[in-house]
Amino acid sequence: MLRPKVPAMPQPTGLVTPPAVVVEPTAVIQQTPQFQAAAPVVSAAPVPARPAVQLTPGAVIALVGSGTAVVLVVGAVLVSMLLAVAITGASIAICALAIRSVINADTTRR
């Protein structure tokens, strides 16, 4: 009853691209120039794409110190938000109890 059915697709749907045309490479014959102008020789030294990062002991200490400061600040913010939610919830519960007791006291006096 709950057997999955694999759809059968005998023909592809949508646009069908024709097979690619095979291009055979041709030979390139280079000719030697009869006259060659004297070009200045410029030897360009390879420039590295990005210099390697080198960390000194002072930089490592600064990174560790700043990471610790970030963790402490984020932790303090999260704890203060949790404390604010807890205080708000407790005050709402106390207000609800006070209102309920006032309503119940008013109905029992009559």
Side-chain angles (χ1 to χ4, degrees):
M1 181 176 143
L2 297 175
R3 291 184 184 171
K5 294 182 180 180
V6 179
M9 186 170 39
Q11 295 292 330
T13 59
L15 297 175
V16 179
T17 58
V21 178
V22 178
V23 178
E24 295 183 14
T26 57
V28 177
I29 301 172
Q30 293 183 352
Q31 296 179 353
T32 58
Q34 298 295 330
F35 176 74
Q36 187 174 9
V41 178
V42 178
S43 62
V47 178
R50 190 181 289 186
V53 176
Q54 296 178 355
L55 293 176
T56 61
V60 171
I61 291 173
L63 284 174
V64 169
S66 63
T68 303
V70 167
V71 167
L72 289 176
V73 168
V74 170
V77 168
L78 291 178
V79 167
S80 64
M81 289 173 62
L82 179 65
L83 187 61
V85 169
I87 290 172
T88 304
S91 64
I92 289 174
I94 291 171
C95 290
L97 287 175
I99 292 171
R100 190 177 78 173
S101 66
V102 168
I103 291 174
N104 283 341
D106 192 33
T107 56
T108 54
R109 290 184 187 168
R110 291 185 183 184

